Amino acid sequence: MSKNLTKRSEDYSKWYNDLVVQADLAENSGVRGCMVIKPYGYAIWEKMQAALDKMFKETGHENAYFPLFIPKSYLSKEASHVEGFAKECAVVTHYRLKNAEDGSGIIVDPDAKLEEELIVRPTSETIIWDTYRRWIQSYRDLPILINQWANVVRWEMRTRLFLRTAEFLWQEGHTAHATEKEAIAEAEQMMHIYADFAENHMAMPVVKGVKTETERFAGALETYCIEALMQDGKALQAGTSHFLGQNFAKAFDVKFATKEGTQEYVWASSWGVSTRLMGALVMTHSDDNGLVLPPKLAPIQVVIVPIYKGEDQLDAIAERVAPLLKELRQKGISVKFDDRDSYKPGFKFAEYELKGVPIRLAIGQRDMENNTFEVARRDTFAKETVNADAVIEKIEFLLEDIQNNIYKKALDYRTNHITEVNSYDEFKKVLENKGGFISAHWDGSKETEEQIKNDTKATIRCIPLDAKQEEGVCIVTGKPSSKRVLFAKAY
Amino acid sequence: MSKNLTKRSEDYSKWYNDLVVQADLAENSGVRGCMVIKPYGYAIWEKMQAALDKMFKETGHENAYFPLFIPKSYLSKEASHVEGFAKECAVVTHYRLKNAEDGSGIIVDPDAKLEEELIVRPTSETIIWDTYRRWIQSYRDLPILINQWANVVRWEMRTRLFLRTAEFLWQEGHTAHATEKEAIAEAEQMMHIYADFAENHMAMPVVKGVKTETERFAGALETYCIEALMQDGKALQAGTSHFLGQNFAKAFDVKFATKEGTQEYVWASSWGVSTRLMGALVMTHSDDNGLVLPPKLAPIQVVIVPIYKGEDQLDAIAERVAPLLKELRQKGISVKFDDRDSYKPGFKFAEYELKGVPIRLAIGQRDMENNTFEVARRDTFAKETVNADAVIEKIEFLLEDIQNNIYKKALDYRTNHITEVNSYDEFKKVLENKGGFISAHWDGSKETEEQIKNDTKATIRCIPLDAKQEEGVCIVTGKPSSKRVLFAKAY
């Protein structure tokens, strides 16, 4: 299977696309910019959803569902918001098709034009704050802590599977609070939850920080983010959480009566992660043989491949394996016994490597005689023969060890790819030759940020929460700066 | 809370709408025909999803995700399909907004017109079969057993919360098979799964059957359905499963190589249930005091209301209740301890009645002294005092008993509302005075079916699987008929 997979060193971008398609994660559809998420890819997304949903609920959030369509006038109510989304939105203008009178086929019925155009949601702040106006009268109605799992559409011109698609799946949290402090605390909490998920489920280290004004969400006063680093040295924004101030409350006139009886505008946060995380997952761990999946998100954690000649041998192996399958499943470990007769073991081995199954067991005649399994791990390709009595313990150990090992590997890579520089020349050299995050002083101005972007394509990924406080000077203008920020080229 | 709820006997339709809104299930949004599903309503839907998803996976189905948008030309490929959906679809024609040059605000950018219009999916057969063409070459690629959880849009002119909305949530299964027999078996299997879910989770009895040609899904050769009966004597189609023959395979040119090496068109099924089930759930069990929820789908199964004066008494009650909460949660029973100080017990009682919480425990000073709880069940309003040591056992018993009792109640109602008639006069009288399903002989012709519909608004809900085989004559034409079919007015 992996024979046709482009090598990372040859063409990283092609390797990524090949892998996403060949490992059955997703493919392009007949609709421009829209992907089909295939069952194997969707199974990973379901595991992401389940883990995130649990974290959201444990922190007091509830799920709800708001309309797909947003009246044009709603989108227009918050000035910077519409500015941010108007250029790339799908617009519904009619509600009926009909047979053309000249027999040329099905056409849009010109008599079925909507009075007001509807935008397919690019994000739901506006429709949700229009709803919150009805829900919020008093401080007793606050906070509102709601999340939505939904599809959204942004009409991107250049799309890539998972990383940038016209339609994508995501969750969007939208919370309403009585105080500024609470809303900020909520936005910060969600950034920490995203980081926890990225590191402990995806095994993907992230930097937590805030965006510069230029990179902020359209309508936010502060955007918190988690930034990851891909194997090609490019950064990827993996999740954002926004403190929205009272912008949407003012745009949609959402006030509440305080305990003291005054009327005040409500404070807001919103936060989201999307199927983009699937792309981040692929690019953080995978190799030239295929996917490498963290055990916590792998749809199949263990595959057992029988090596046999004839049906009798297969039956004997199946009998030997049956209690193991049962026990693993009882422990909540997902295991597949691949007894397909139409494919040879070598083909199966390559297939499960391509699909990133963390642990592979093989059992042949010698194993039957010796009461053993051959146990192979996907991350390091290490193989060993393990006695059947010890195999469950071994699997449990490996699931944890692989999860930790791939995290450590990614962390080491990132640690080696955060480079402090003190001049613009050095900045450009590192960006060109090594990539990764570049930690540098910046004077805090939009102009300098833009100049660097125009010169080098690098952007400020974030001002890290734990940014080094030190006196320095901007690498471009020489103006004073008190902390370093992280630059990178980014997806 | 329930003071403002319209009585069923006064205005059933208004009762339903009041209840859906007052019990915090859903409300209308600012977008015509689109609803907001509120957290309490969505929590019920999540429980439905979880139960169905488990049943689908246990029968070998996997989830995937296909594009929201369907190119107009795709929809047009299957003649009867486009006929069925063209009249009520949302059409995306542009992909950008801009500021009007005359400063009048945000307008659709006329320069951003799509070459081909996109339809917001009303159902996904066309986009999915366009994809299956790429996935299917050989018999080895079959069957494909895929389900999708998604939103769909049908531009209905008259909408009602959950029952008929422009956008709704649903699942749609789309399967591909090598033989006609397998595809039919799949469609039948899914009807049985839906019936199992309706009866054993929703506690809603259903009739299984097939639709007449007139009532079939646009593009199907056979539509299997489950039909439920609401408390006002109207029927509600609760789920459908379609045998699609080779219609979509032919429209999208999906062929496979058989074992024998010939090329044949693939056989298909599709099947779906939607948030419409929420409406069915409400109308099957609820009463003039509010929702009645089956314990298996209730977001809160048990609520505990403390009756106290002052903080000391509340603290003592909270301490007494703590181990009970813990033990119930360990058993997977969802329980809420409502210690809000801002509302009186009577208010809380009414609120949980309105919201259909199956079991309510109250604990006051006398209970503290006697080591008891007052246990009330929502379905019958029966109350009793139960010793604290026996309360968990009591709760476990009640959860099962309420589930069974409301099913039985609904089944009794339905049994009493299936009426056999042998003349058109009798048919009309029963329809007018009693409602419910009417079991009658029909000559099998579209013309008679349509005449009955025009005369009485009753339609053939289904030809039941267990239809009585008997010689008879059509109630309208007097022509011979070999079995009875079920008529009703329907939602």
Side-chain angles (χ1 to χ4, degrees), chain A residues 27-28 30-31 37 46 57 63 65 68-69 72 86 89 91-95 97 106 134-135 151 167, chain B residues 27-28 31 37 46 57 63 65 68-69 72 86 89 91-95 97 106 134-135 151 167:
Chain A
E27 64 183 31
N28 285 310
V31 187
I37 306 180
E46 281 183 309
K57 284 179 175 155
N63 289 329
Y65 189 76
L68 171 67
F69 297 130
K72 197 186 66 182
C89 60
V91 188
V92 177
T93 57
H94 291 75
Y95 58 85
L97 301 174
I106 304 286
R134 296 192 294 275
W135 292 3
N151 53 344
E167 181 193 14
Chain B
E27 64 183 30
N28 286 309
V31 187
I37 306 180
E46 282 183 308
K57 284 177 177 158
N63 289 328
Y65 189 78
L68 171 68
F69 297 129
K72 196 186 68 182
C89 59
V91 188
V92 177
T93 56
H94 292 74
Y95 58 86
L97 300 176
I106 305 286
R134 296 193 295 275
W135 293 2
N151 53 344
E167 182 193 13

Side-chain angles (χ1 to χ4, degrees), chain A residues 7 83-84 145 200 248 297 339 360 382 393 429 447 484:
Chain A
K7 283 195 187 346
E83 182 68 24
L145 304 173
N200 294 312
F248 287 92
L297 297 178
D339 60 355
R360 181 188 77 217
E393 203 182 332
K429 259 182 220 156
E447 293 69 25
R484 291 175 180 273

Side-chain angles (χ1 to χ4, degrees), chain A residues 117-128:
Chain A
E117 298 89 348
L118 297 173
I119 313 306
V120 181
R121 64 181 161 219
T123 180
S124 300
E125 278 78 6
T126 56
I127 187 79
I128 287 180

Side-chain angles (χ1 to χ4, degrees), chain A residues 409-421:
Chain A
K409 198 175 157 192
L411 183 61
D412 286 347
Y413 176 83
R414 193 195 68 185
T415 305
N416 291 331
H417 286 81
I418 301 185
T419 312
E420 282 194 6
V421 306

Side-chain angles (χ1 to χ4, degrees), chain B residues 43-44 47-48 51 197 201-202 281 293-299 403:
Chain B
I44 299 172
K47 289 198 159 232
M48 289 186 174
F197 171 75
H201 290 262
M202 296 176 67
L281 186 74
L293 293 178
K296 284 189 189 175
L297 297 179
Q403 184 83 29

Side-chain angles (χ1 to χ4, degrees), chain B residues 117-298:
Chain B
E117 297 89 349
L118 297 172
I119 313 306
V120 181
R121 65 181 160 218
T123 180
S124 300
E125 277 78 6
T126 55
I127 186 81
I128 287 179
W129 278 86
D130 182 67
T131 306
Y132 283 177
R133 187 181 54 249
R134 296 193 295 275
W135 293 2
I136 299 169
Q137 274 88 45
S138 134
Y139 70 92
R140 283 192 204 84
D141 303 319
L142 298 171
I144 294 181
L145 305 173
I146 283 186
N147 175 60
Q148 163 170 278
W149 290 97
N151 53 344
V152 286
V153 171
R154 297 177 188 177
W155 207 263
E156 305 277 358
M157 279 304 161
R158 294 181 59 186
T159 61
R160 294 192 63 191
L161 293 168
F162 290 123
L163 297 171
R164 197 172 291 279
T165 48
E167 182 193 13
F168 55 91
L169 304 183
W170 78 343
Q171 61 67 218
E172 47 181 327
H174 296 273
T175 69
H177 306 267
T179 66
E180 176 175 22
K181 199 176 148 190
E182 267 182 61
I184 292 174
E186 167 77 11
E188 287 177 347
Q189 170 186 253
M190 298 322 292
M191 171 191 59
H192 292 303
I193 284 178
Y194 288 154
D196 179 1
F197 171 75
E199 301 196 333
N200 295 312
H201 290 262
M202 296 176 67
M204 179 175 79
V206 292
V207 178
K208 301 179 206 175
V210 298
K211 289 284 181 192
T212 61
E213 199 184 329
T214 313
E215 300 278 334
R216 246 177 235 154
F217 176 75
L221 299 189
E222 187 83 275
T223 288
Y224 301 86
C225 63
I226 57 170
E227 294 282 326
L229 193 61
M230 304 295 101
Q231 295 172 356
D232 62 346
K234 284 171 79 175
L236 186 145
Q237 175 180 302
T240 50
S241 179
H242 316 291
F243 167 58
L244 303 172
Q246 296 171 310
N247 286 350
F248 288 91
K250 284 177 181 164
F252 289 88
D253 195 29
V254 188
K255 289 181 186 166
F256 72 103
T258 64
K259 268 187 195 173
E260 296 72 32
T262 59
Q263 288 282 315
E264 284 185 19
Y265 286 112
V266 177
W267 298 87
S269 92
S270 70
W271 30 275
V273 296
S274 74
T275 36
R276 192 163 212 242
L277 288 180
M278 293 287 296
L281 186 74
V282 171
M283 287 202 293
T284 299
H285 303 299
S286 301
D287 62 26
D288 291 346
N289 289 54
L291 290 181
V292 173
L293 293 178
K296 284 189 189 175
L297 297 179

